[in-house]
Amino acid sequence: MGTMLFQILYLVGYFFTNTFQMTKQITSLEDYQSTYKYSIENPENFWEEQANTFNWFKPFDKILEWNFEEPEIKWFVNGKLNITYNCLDRHIEVKGNQVAILWEPNNPNENVKKYTFKTLLSEVNKCANALKAKGITKGDRVIFYMPMVPELAIGVLACARIGAIHSVVFAGFSARALADRVDDAQAKMIVCSDYNNRGNKCIQVKQVVDDAMDLSCNSIETVLVHQNTGGEVNWSDDCDVWWHDLVDNQSDVCEPEWMDSEDMLFILYTSGSTGKPKGVVHTCGGYMVYTCYSFKNVFQYKEGDVYWCTADIGWITGHSYIVYGPLLAGATTMMFEGVPTYPDAGRFWSICEKHKVNQFYTAPTAIRALMAKGDEWPQKYDLSSIKVLGSVGEPINVEAWEWYDKHIGKGKAPIVDTWWQTETGGILITPLPGITDTKPTFASYPMPGVQPVLVDTEGNEKIGNGIEGLLCIKFPWPSMLRTTYGDHDRCCQTYFSPFKGYYFTGDGAKRDEEGRIRIIGRVDDVINVSGHRIGTAEVENAINAHPEVIESAVVGFPHEIKGQGIYAYVIVDGNINSNDEFISEVLKVVVKEIGPIAKPDEIQIVSGLPKTRSGKIMRRILRKIASKDISNLGDISTLLNPEVVDEIIEQAGLKA
Ligand code: WT7
């Protein structure tokens, strides 16, 4: 019976595949301009046309319902689909034997792995059946805590196949951070690896999961463990299961679950300016349409190209532009297990040569770090296959942009500086390579269907060019977040309340005289360290967990490689033996509470923090001191304790 239903589905899908065309690609500047105009004047028609390039098990009967008050956003209302059917099954007929995922191991001497669309579908189906065998059904949450191995992509797709909601936690987060996310999502299962090969390090992964399970994680019934290195692990017969025992002998046929357009596809936790990280929720239909459309256009992917995004699947970039966008578009997408500097600083470029990479997408931090290693590294390799270069996650400075252009793109591969967020699901502002112009440090132009505006602090739209303001979006796009998991009010407060009628991004931006947008950076208490978003409040809470800490204040400061570094001012209780010892203890606490990515670069022990009369910490002043720029501190006479400012400045060695 089940198989028969599947066959019927398959036929329906087959019918649609052959009826509709693939997502449209913009081909010229005029095309971009007219498409943009059309998409703004007729957003529903525009997105309907894009949506119709996919397989729907049941067509949607309305394109969009929305209000930004609640907020409530619904795209492709009452449509039924499965995103994995669109990523995999629908490509089988034409390109079943084309490589879908190309996996490059950490160790360059080990073998690459290739999954064709056909073999990937089989693996996904086996894993999907394994999840079902462990009682996972539609709507259940599954947490992934894994290195960049193919099984991570397979597992994520397996969840989507059966309608389970995946939530990938970057494998650099601590047991505490993992446990917080498991608890918030009330997940039933964790999928992890035994160990993680990263450069010349071998990192314990299963052990962190065990530690998280000891802390809380009461909702977890099963821990599915992929054997990656074969190193020894502690085992609990109650809940631990080996991937190879459970997954390998499952059937490779699994009917895709019919999902409503607005059913949840995944939760991804990200930091905000207050409290604990929030679970950004994306849904099936809109996310599918937007990630595919943006992937095809931003990277100008052509049949046969090899596309490589160096991000980790633990971040949104990996979700949208390693897994979903490329697979939906039928592209060959590469996954890299390792790090840019192992075995040496030429690794990225050697991989580009080895696999003849056509589109290369990375973060400014990586570019700056590799630039610092010298021009000789890219010079050793043939990079002539590269047609498009991408940048994401943080502002790219002019020097890094120019180096990337000259030494990697050889002046002939346009750079797309793509601006977006976990919440936006896909790239919203970017040049289109070979189509629109590029200008260093400018994300430039909105994608079709995207309506960015700059507002003043009162929420009035600033019209015209040559202006600066707060970046908002005034009309829904298909892949926008729908809620924050378990706390819709927080979603409303964070994104929709600051300026009535707009989605607020948290970024400040400029528009130049020709209308290009330049992202300046966060205007809230979020810092962007190496392209990773970290909330200052989160780091403060972690530091405050040290028993000798009374209070702390954390700010960002410009950092040559990381973009921003973390600077912590800490008030200490009583006597500490030595500052060095105390500082290393504080670092340990942060690693334990959050993970190494949140470690402060600077810790200054202070006797007080500058506060307003109402008791609010004056972060503006602390930011200036951390940036070693005390030229213009503004009026500090109204502070509760102005004397502490001089003391902090002096301690920081800024006064002669
Ligand atoms: C924040 C979102 C987008 C996926 C990775 C980060 C900053 C992102 C750019 C860019 C300048 C950028 C913004 C944004 N950001 N891209 N091209 N130029 N800043 O996703 O972790 O959700 O962080 O990253 O400040 O708000 P995220």
Side-chain angles (χ1 to χ4, degrees):
M1 174 59 203
T3 332
M4 206 171 101
L5 181 60
F6 178 68
Q7 280 164 353
I8 295 167
L9 279 180
Y10 196 87
L11 285 174
V12 174
Y14 182 77
F15 170 73
F16 276 80
T17 310
N18 286 283
T19 310
F20 293 106
Q21 298 192 332
M22 298 299 275
T23 300
K24 190 193 159 227
Q25 214 163 19
I26 293 164
T27 55
S28 67
L29 184 59
E30 299 70 50
D31 191 7
Y32 165 70
Q33 285 163 343
S34 61
T35 304
Y36 187 76
K37 188 164 182 285
Y38 176 73
S39 75
I40 299 311
E41 287 166 1
N42 311 279
E44 300 194 12
N45 296 347
F46 173 75
W47 287 117
E48 179 182 24
E49 285 158 29
Q50 303 313 320
N52 280 337
T53 66
F54 296 87
N55 299 90
W56 295 86
F57 296 146
K58 176 181 164 293
F60 43 90
D61 47 42
K62 198 171 170 199
I63 296 146
L64 173 64
E65 275 174 21
W66 70 289
N67 76 69
F68 276 181
E69 313 288 77
E70 311 256 356
E72 189 175 14
I73 294 114
K74 289 182 177 174
W75 280 94
F76 314 119
V77 184
N78 294 327
K80 302 280 182 221
L81 74 146
N82 188 289
I83 196 167
T84 70
Y85 190 90
N86 285 283
C87 286
L88 303 170
D89 306 61
R90 73 164 174 158
H91 298 310
I92 297 297
E93 171 84 3
V94 179
K95 52 172 78 167
N97 295 323
Q98 182 200 299
V99 176
I101 293 181
L102 175 56
W103 180 79
E104 169 72 23
N106 176 59
N107 178 347
N109 301 321
E110 279 171 21
N111 292 335
V112 304
K113 286 184 189 166
K114 293 177 179 176
Y115 293 82
T116 64
F117 280 95
K118 216 186 260 169
T119 55
L120 183 59
L121 175 60
S122 300
E123 295 307 315
V124 168
N125 283 344
K126 280 193 214 166
C127 184
N129 285 325
L131 296 178
K132 281 197 208 166
K134 281 290 163 187
I136 301 295
T137 55
K138 182 174 171 181
D140 287 343
R141 277 80 56 210
V142 176
I143 296 266
F144 288 81
Y145 187 78
M146 284 176 100
M148 284 288 284
V149 290
E151 287 74 12
L152 172 54
I154 290 166
V156 158
L157 291 165
C159 283
R161 187 80 174 171
I162 63 169
I165 298 162
H166 56 79
S167 186
V168 185
V169 177
F170 174 63
F173 280 116
S174 68
R176 174 84 267 164
L178 172 61
D180 285 345
R181 286 153 177 80
V182 167
D183 293 348
D184 187 80
Q186 285 294 296
K188 264 192 174 172
M189 182 190 271
I190 299 176
V191 187
C192 69
S193 297
D194 53 359
Y195 290 85
N196 176 2
N197 291 312
R198 251 177 102 72
N200 50 24
K201 294 196 197 116
C202 186
I203 296 159
Q204 296 188 327
V205 177
K206 170 72 162 60
Q207 186 58 51
V208 178
V209 174
D210 291 346
D211 293 346
M213 293 284 282
D214 287 341
L215 287 169
S216 54
C217 303
N218 297 327
S219 56
I220 295 295
E221 293 168 6
T222 310
V223 177
L224 179 58
V225 189
H226 168 250
Q227 194 168 46
N228 187 31
T229 65
E232 249 175 66
V233 290
N234 291 326
W235 202 254
S236 150
D237 287 326
D238 292 345
C239 57
D240 294 347
V241 186
W242 283 113
W243 178 291
H244 52 262
D245 287 340
L246 182 69
V247 178
D248 286 1
N249 43 28
Q250 296 286 339
S251 152
D252 66 358
V253 177
C254 175
E255 290 171 27
E257 186 76 30
W258 285 31
M259 302 297 285
D260 189 272
S261 289
E262 287 301 336
D263 279 338
M264 279 187 207
L265 175 62
F266 66 86
I267 305 169
L268 189 57
Y269 285 86
T270 191
S271 297
S273 48
T274 55
K276 292 204 165 169
K278 48 189 175 259
V280 168
V281 170
H282 285 288
T283 57
C284 296
Y287 181 82
M288 171 176 79
V289 172
Y290 196 86
T291 53
C292 182
Y293 181 78
S294 53
F295 170 77
K296 278 196 95 163
N297 281 290
V298 174
F299 298 102
Q300 287 292 306
Y301 185 88
K302 301 283 184 304
E303 287 301 312
D305 284 351
V306 174
Y307 160 87
W308 180 21
C309 165
T310 70
D312 192 288
I313 294 176
W315 312 113
I316 190 72
T317 311
H319 283 62
S320 303
Y321 299 112
I322 295 177
V323 181
Y324 287 113
L327 294 177
L328 286 163
T332 298
T333 177
M334 189 153 71
M335 253 181 102
F336 174 43
E337 185 185 32
V339 296
T341 49
Y342 178 81
D344 58 44
R347 187 66 193 279
F348 271 6
W349 322 127
S350 104
I351 296 174
C352 286
E353 177 185 277
K354 177 175 172 187
H355 297 295
K356 299 195 172 52
V357 169
N358 300 109
Q359 291 89 2
F360 177 74
Y361 190 30
T362 197
T365 295
I367 301 168
R368 287 190 293 263
L370 295 175
M371 180 170 83
K373 301 280 182 190
D375 304 347
E376 62 271 28
W377 291 104
Q379 268 156 23
K380 288 187 194 171
Y381 301 97
D382 176 7
L383 301 178
S384 60
S385 57
I386 295 177
K387 296 190 284 188
V388 178
L389 293 173
S391 172
V392 60
E394 48 178 324
I396 180 167
N397 48 312
V398 179
E399 300 73 33
W401 196 99
E402 286 174 346
W403 187 84
Y404 200 28
D405 179 46
K406 182 169 170 206
H407 294 276
I408 311 304
K410 317 285 180 194
K412 60 172 189 51
I415 296 175
V416 290
D417 177 359
T418 63
W419 174 87
W420 56 298
Q421 308 178 296
T422 305
E423 295 86 344
T424 69
I427 296 165
L428 296 196
I429 304 178
T430 177
L432 295 180
I435 293 168
T436 63
D437 57 15
T438 60
K439 180 174 170 185
T441 76
F442 281 77
S444 299
Y445 306 106
M447 286 292 290
V450 174
Q451 302 189 37
V453 293
L454 300 181
V455 303
D456 65 19
T457 47
E458 257 77 70
N460 303 308
E461 225 174 290
K462 290 181 141 185
I463 310 292
N465 291 337
I467 53 146
E468 195 174 319
L470 301 166
L471 180 63
C472 292
I473 317 285
K474 75 168 174 193
F475 193 83
W477 63 101
S479 64
M480 69 187 298
L481 88 162
R482 301 301 195 264
T483 188
T484 45
Y485 192 75
D487 192 352
H488 193 60
D489 191 48
R490 190 169 178 197
C491 171
C492 185
Q493 293 307 324
T494 312
Y495 307 105
F496 297 92
S497 300
F499 306 108
K500 221 173 155 38
Y502 299 103
Y503 165 81
F504 175 48
T505 65
D507 281 315
K510 278 183 182 165
R511 194 154 51 216
D512 75 1
E513 294 299 339
E514 284 89 38
R516 292 183 206 91
I517 293 174
R518 175 185 183 164
I519 308 299
I520 299 167
R522 304 290 304 193
V523 294
D524 52 9
D525 290 322
V526 169
I527 41 189
N528 194 324
V529 182
S530 305
H532 302 146
R533 232 164 108 168
I534 295 167
T536 52
E538 244 180 294
V539 184
E540 287 163 6
N541 290 339
I543 293 174
N544 298 348
H546 187 291
E548 298 301 328
V549 171
I550 298 183
E551 197 180 3
S552 62
V554 166
V555 295
F557 70 99
H559 186 286
E560 223 176 290
I561 303 288
K562 301 177 180 180
Q564 276 189 302
I566 302 177
Y567 198 115
Y569 299 87
V570 183
I571 306 176
V572 184
D573 178 17
N575 297 324
I576 47 172
N577 286 336
S578 90
N579 285 5
D580 287 351
E581 197 181 304
F582 170 74
I583 286 170
S584 80
E585 280 169 25
V586 169
L587 293 176
K588 267 192 215 138
V589 171
V590 174
V591 170
K592 183 163 169 257
E593 295 289 311
I594 308 174
I597 57 170
K599 263 207 274 199
D601 300 273
E602 301 284 345
I603 295 177
Q604 183 175 343
I605 299 167
V606 294
S607 65
L609 294 166
K611 288 191 179 169
T612 62
R613 285 180 201 273
S614 60
K616 214 173 153 242
I617 297 173
M618 287 293 280
R619 288 167 189 283
R620 185 177 53 79
I621 293 172
L622 295 177
R623 260 183 235 123
K624 287 235 157 190
I625 299 172
S627 313
K628 303 202 184 318
D629 166 22
I630 50 166
S631 55
N632 184 14
L633 288 182
D635 183 12
I636 57 169
S637 63
T638 57
L639 290 181
L640 196 63
N641 49 354
E643 70 290 347
V644 84
V645 176
D646 284 333
E647 190 186 310
I648 295 176
I649 291 176
E650 206 159 306
Q651 271 182 348
L654 294 180
K655 242 180 204 169

